[in-house]
Structure formats: C-alpha cells, structure tokens
Amino acid sequence: MEPAISVLVAQFKTYAGKDGSSSTLSKDEFQNLVASQLPTLVTNASDPGVIDQLMSSLDQNNDGELTFLEFWELIGTLASKHGGFSQ
Amino acid sequence: MEPAISVLVAQFKTYAGKDGSSSTLSKDEFQNLVASQLPTLVTNASDPGVIDQLMSSLDQNNDGELTFLEFWELIGTLASKHGGFSQ
C-alpha cells in the first residue's frame, strides 16, 4: 500500500503547490485536482456549484483552504462509496 | 489519483476478506495488513501492544472490527505525518 499512499501525497503536494500555501488546496487548486485526477469519482467537477459544495463540506475551519487531512476525508468517502462499502 | 485509490481499496478488501466479515478488518487481519503493507509507516507492527493500541484508537464503535473508513483515517494520519504536513 505504501507506494499508492506516496502517489496520493505527492499528487496532493503538486496541486497544493500551484499558488499560495504549498501545503493546502485553494478552491482553484481543488477544482483543478478534482477535474483532472478524480474524473470517475466526481463526475460533475466542471459545475462550480459542485465544487463549492464539496469544498464547504470539507473545509471544517472555513478558511477557504483544504488541508491534506480534509482532502483525505473526501477521497475516503468517495472510495468507500465506489468500493461498495456500507456508509 | 484514481489508480492509487483503487489499489488501496483492493488491498483493503484482500485483507478484510481473509476471515469473518469481508468488508471489515478483524484484529488479525489488521495486524497482517499493517505488518506486510505498511512497514515504513508503522515500524513496530510485530508488537501486539502497538496493534492493540492502534486498533482501539480507530475502532470507534468498539466492535473489534475496522471499517474501510476507520482504516482510511489511520493511513491518512500516517501519510500526513510522513508527508510533513502539520497536524
């Protein structure tokens, strides 16, 4: 599992590093990541309303930036649904 | 990212399917998974006390089984530390 985990960490850092804080995702960075990296798990990433809603549901301290752990929670939820686990 | 996410889901299912419920990890399954798949992130997996402590910290409903999302939280926390993100 460790190689797969490393891929996820490295890709998060790539997108998070595009502007502002290199350790968190701004809304633009989040939209870029979702649209290019999660095309199956999030099918409507080009809809700004979808991105706004996902972002606000994850951004627990409401600062407009997603931490790695906030983002991790999203992909866990998506993977759990996609993998057929009960919620 | 989706190929890496699929690897993690598939490997969770492989270990979870060894005994009992195929969608959750028993303590034995959890220990096997940690020892063989997370050797860098959890260095002392052969210590039963470490496994007991990790398991009880994650098993929120205390039923002796870890769901996918309980397990996902562990690897997120480990990956976050290993990746150098602030907690």
Side-chain angles (χ1 to χ4, degrees):
Chain A
M1 286 188 169
E2 290 183 348
I5 296 168
S6 294
V7 165
L8 296 176
V9 170
Q11 290 187 330
F12 177 90
K13 286 183 175 177
T14 298
Y15 285 85
K18 289 181 194 283
D19 66 42
S21 166
S22 64
S23 62
T24 56
L25 294 172
S26 65
K27 187 174 143 187
D28 281 354
E29 289 168 340
F30 178 60
Q31 180 156 27
N32 283 338
L33 188 163
V34 169
S36 55
Q37 294 293 325
L38 304 174
T40 309
L41 294 173
V42 181
T43 51
N44 40 11
S46 60
D47 178 344
V50 167
I51 295 296
D52 281 345
Q53 195 176 1
L54 271 179
M55 182 100 188
S56 61
S57 71
L58 295 166
D59 180 17
Q60 291 170 353
N61 63 1
N62 206 31
D63 66 351
E65 297 277 333
L66 294 184
T67 66
F68 178 76
L69 284 177
E70 287 168 343
F71 175 71
W72 191 258
E73 188 180 322
L74 169 68
I75 53 176
T77 305
L78 296 172
S80 177
K81 285 181 189 162
H82 197 72
F85 298 105
S86 60
Q87 300 298 301
Chain B
M1 288 188 169
E2 291 184 347
I5 295 169
S6 294
V7 165
L8 296 176
V9 170
Q11 290 188 328
F12 177 89
K13 287 183 174 178
T14 298
Y15 285 86
K18 289 180 195 284
D19 65 45
S21 165
S22 65
S23 62
T24 57
L25 293 172
S26 65
K27 187 174 143 186
D28 280 354
E29 290 169 340
F30 178 61
Q31 180 157 25
N32 283 338
L33 188 162
V34 169
S36 55
Q37 294 293 325
L38 304 174
T40 309
L41 293 173
V42 181
T43 50
N44 39 11
S46 60
D47 178 344
V50 167
I51 294 295
D52 281 345
Q53 195 176 2
L54 271 179
M55 182 101 188
S56 62
S57 71
L58 294 166
D59 180 18
Q60 290 170 354
N61 63 0
N62 206 32
D63 65 352
E65 296 278 333
L66 294 184
T67 66
F68 178 75
L69 284 176
E70 287 168 344
F71 175 71
W72 191 258
E73 189 181 321
L74 169 68
I75 52 177
T77 305
L78 295 171
S80 178
K81 284 181 190 162
H82 198 72
F85 298 105
S86 59
Q87 301 298 301

